[in-house]
Amino acid sequence: MRKNAILVDFETPKKWEFLDAIEVATNEKWVVEKCISNRNFGNSLQKVIRYVKYFFEPFKVFLHRKDYSRILGWQQFYGLILAFYFRLFRVKNAPEITVMTFIYKPKSSLIGGGYEKFVRYCVTSNYIQNIIVHSEKERHFYANYFHIPVEKFVFVKLGIEDRTKEIPISKPKNYYLAPGRSNRDYSFLLSAWNGNIPLKIVCDSLDMQVKDKSIEILRNCHGDEYLKLLSECHAVVVPLEDVHASSGQLVILQAMMYGKPLIVTENEGVRDYMVDSEDGYIIEKEQVSLNEAIVQIEEHYSDISLNGRKHFEEKFSLYQEGLAIGNIIKP
């Protein structure tokens, strides 16, 4: 009997609410197959290892494709590269593929041009039934960019597991936290930051030297260690680079989970997740706007903190996301 599989690149709990929701919505059993590839962002060797994993894990599925009925690629490259193999070898009766957490950012370099052709080759294939994006505007942006029907892109709000029981909400300490690597504009943040307030940047791929002693860059902070920092910080800053690219939602939801006020630079997908002046502030990428938001947070800290936690509980559970995706891919 063929199986349904979720391909992930992270550790999942024994009882995973996303898996439970997928099984409820589809009325079918699913298995989780993992290959952790998302921590190799340091030196060149680590990057090579990461890219090898991106191609090797889907290749294993490709070799045993007759064992599968449906594939859900939580790690988008596992789903994309599997579709690449299917199209390259013109596979018949292939399992259905749904790609999750899809993000594509055009690049102008020679390598970027090759990458664009590769992604286009994958997403325009008939082997991918659905591509899950996490903002409504992305659907139309990607459909226009790749010249494929907008119906192939499906907007589902991101959901995350509530970790506040294992790592409780703490009394805020005197530092702001800026986590994440994808589509971040840390050059802006470093140049605009008020040196009187401590700032910790959590990014394992940030190769910048900082002279400001109030700013600390943490390049090896993951998992529970990162969540502990988040639970203790005063507020969270998310400086986004490309206004079209979907990114930052995970950090936004994690901050709301811990009741941490947010400062996020304007982006087309941000307003699908946070309410300006309620969960924090959505700002233009200007130093004066950043400073004004910090002042507003201090004046309304308690209300913003409570709003964020309330909105997280009501809208952004991992189970709700699983139900939504399950209803899209069910037979």
Side-chain angles (χ1 to χ4, degrees), residues 46 112 178 198 202 204 229 242 256 287 319 323 325:
Q46 289 177 319
V202 179
D204 52 13
L229 271 180
D242 187 340
M256 292 167 66
Q287 185 176 28
Y319 191 83
L323 287 179
I325 292 175

mmCIF file of all heavy atoms in Angstrom, residues 46 112 178 198 202 204 229 242 256 287 319 323 325:
data_model
loop_
_atom_site.group_PDB
_atom_site.id
_atom_site.type_symbol
_atom_site.label_atom_id
_atom_site.label_comp_id
_atom_site.label_asym_id
_atom_site.label_seq_id
_atom_site.Cartn_x
_atom_site.Cartn_y
_atom_site.Cartn_z
ATOM 1 N N GLN A 46 30.196 23.640 4.874
ATOM 2 C CA GLN A 46 28.863 23.437 5.436
ATOM 3 C C GLN A 46 27.776 23.697 4.389
ATOM 4 O O GLN A 46 26.769 22.988 4.327
ATOM 5 C CB GLN A 46 28.664 24.344 6.649
ATOM 6 C CG GLN A 46 29.480 23.931 7.863
ATOM 7 C CD GLN A 46 29.306 24.892 9.018
ATOM 8 O OE1 GLN A 46 29.271 26.108 8.828
ATOM 9 N NE2 GLN A 46 29.196 24.365 10.223
ATOM 10 N N GLY A 112 22.444 33.447 -10.032
ATOM 11 C CA GLY A 112 21.025 33.703 -9.805
ATOM 12 C C GLY A 112 20.184 33.383 -11.017
ATOM 13 O O GLY A 112 19.061 32.888 -10.904
ATOM 14 N N ALA A 178 16.661 40.545 17.294
ATOM 15 C CA ALA A 178 16.412 40.545 15.852
ATOM 16 C C ALA A 178 16.825 39.193 15.287
ATOM 17 O O ALA A 178 17.991 38.987 14.953
ATOM 18 C CB ALA A 178 17.186 41.666 15.168
ATOM 19 N N PRO A 198 20.502 47.870 24.128
ATOM 20 C CA PRO A 198 21.164 46.626 23.700
ATOM 21 C C PRO A 198 20.337 45.882 22.648
ATOM 22 O O PRO A 198 19.109 45.819 22.727
ATOM 23 C CB PRO A 198 21.254 45.814 24.993
ATOM 24 C CG PRO A 198 21.164 46.827 26.094
ATOM 25 C CD PRO A 198 20.261 47.898 25.582
ATOM 26 N N VAL A 202 20.266 37.361 15.986
ATOM 27 C CA VAL A 202 20.447 35.908 15.893
ATOM 28 C C VAL A 202 20.407 35.518 14.422
ATOM 29 O O VAL A 202 19.337 35.470 13.801
ATOM 30 C CB VAL A 202 19.353 35.158 16.681
ATOM 31 C CG1 VAL A 202 19.554 33.649 16.544
ATOM 32 C CG2 VAL A 202 19.369 35.568 18.147
ATOM 33 N N ASP A 204 22.854 32.923 11.740
ATOM 34 C CA ASP A 204 24.052 32.116 11.549
ATOM 35 C C ASP A 204 24.748 32.363 10.221
ATOM 36 O O ASP A 204 25.796 31.787 9.952
ATOM 37 C CB ASP A 204 23.732 30.623 11.691
ATOM 38 C CG ASP A 204 22.572 30.175 10.813
ATOM 39 O OD1 ASP A 204 22.177 30.945 9.917
ATOM 40 O OD2 ASP A 204 22.066 29.064 11.030
ATOM 41 N N LEU A 229 16.125 33.057 24.682
ATOM 42 C CA LEU A 229 16.444 34.461 24.428
ATOM 43 C C LEU A 229 15.186 35.244 24.080
ATOM 44 O O LEU A 229 14.981 36.368 24.551
ATOM 45 C CB LEU A 229 17.438 34.572 23.267
ATOM 46 C CG LEU A 229 18.926 34.520 23.549
ATOM 47 C CD1 LEU A 229 19.695 34.649 22.231
ATOM 48 C CD2 LEU A 229 19.355 35.609 24.520
ATOM 49 N N ASP A 242 13.384 42.638 0.894
ATOM 50 C CA ASP A 242 12.525 42.678 -0.291
ATOM 51 C C ASP A 242 11.065 42.760 0.148
ATOM 52 O O ASP A 242 10.581 41.905 0.890
ATOM 53 C CB ASP A 242 12.763 41.412 -1.122
ATOM 54 C CG ASP A 242 12.040 41.433 -2.458
ATOM 55 O OD1 ASP A 242 11.075 42.212 -2.605
ATOM 56 O OD2 ASP A 242 12.427 40.665 -3.357
ATOM 57 N N MET A 256 4.759 36.968 18.990
ATOM 58 C CA MET A 256 3.397 37.066 19.504
ATOM 59 C C MET A 256 3.120 35.966 20.521
ATOM 60 O O MET A 256 2.415 36.184 21.517
ATOM 61 C CB MET A 256 2.410 37.007 18.350
ATOM 62 C CG MET A 256 2.470 38.232 17.427
ATOM 63 S SD MET A 256 1.585 38.011 15.866
ATOM 64 C CE MET A 256 -0.101 37.896 16.435
ATOM 65 N N GLN A 287 15.363 55.530 9.840
ATOM 66 C CA GLN A 287 15.820 55.593 11.226
ATOM 67 C C GLN A 287 14.805 56.289 12.122
ATOM 68 O O GLN A 287 14.530 55.842 13.236
ATOM 69 C CB GLN A 287 17.158 56.317 11.306
ATOM 70 C CG GLN A 287 17.758 56.325 12.717
ATOM 71 C CD GLN A 287 19.137 56.959 12.747
ATOM 72 O OE1 GLN A 287 19.454 57.804 11.929
ATOM 73 N NE2 GLN A 287 19.963 56.539 13.692
ATOM 74 N N TYR A 319 -2.025 23.412 14.491
ATOM 75 C CA TYR A 319 -3.129 22.499 14.157
ATOM 76 C C TYR A 319 -4.041 23.120 13.099
ATOM 77 O O TYR A 319 -4.471 22.439 12.158
ATOM 78 C CB TYR A 319 -3.933 22.177 15.416
ATOM 79 C CG TYR A 319 -4.921 21.047 15.241
ATOM 80 C CD1 TYR A 319 -4.516 19.717 15.354
ATOM 81 C CD2 TYR A 319 -6.256 21.299 14.942
ATOM 82 C CE1 TYR A 319 -5.421 18.668 15.184
ATOM 83 C CE2 TYR A 319 -7.165 20.260 14.767
ATOM 84 C CZ TYR A 319 -6.734 18.950 14.895
ATOM 85 O OH TYR A 319 -7.629 17.916 14.707
ATOM 86 N N LEU A 323 -4.923 21.612 9.362
ATOM 87 C CA LEU A 323 -6.273 21.387 8.846
ATOM 88 C C LEU A 323 -6.468 22.072 7.495
ATOM 89 O O LEU A 323 -7.044 21.492 6.559
ATOM 90 C CB LEU A 323 -7.312 21.914 9.837
ATOM 91 C CG LEU A 323 -7.525 21.119 11.120
ATOM 92 C CD1 LEU A 323 -8.569 21.808 11.993
ATOM 93 C CD2 LEU A 323 -7.959 19.687 10.830
ATOM 94 N N ILE A 325 -4.191 22.922 5.212
ATOM 95 C CA ILE A 325 -3.437 22.266 4.148
ATOM 96 C C ILE A 325 -4.028 20.894 3.842
ATOM 97 O O ILE A 325 -4.126 20.481 2.684
ATOM 98 C CB ILE A 325 -1.951 22.152 4.545
ATOM 99 C CG1 ILE A 325 -1.338 23.563 4.589
ATOM 100 C CG2 ILE A 325 -1.193 21.264 3.567
ATOM 101 C CD1 ILE A 325 0.090 23.588 5.077
#
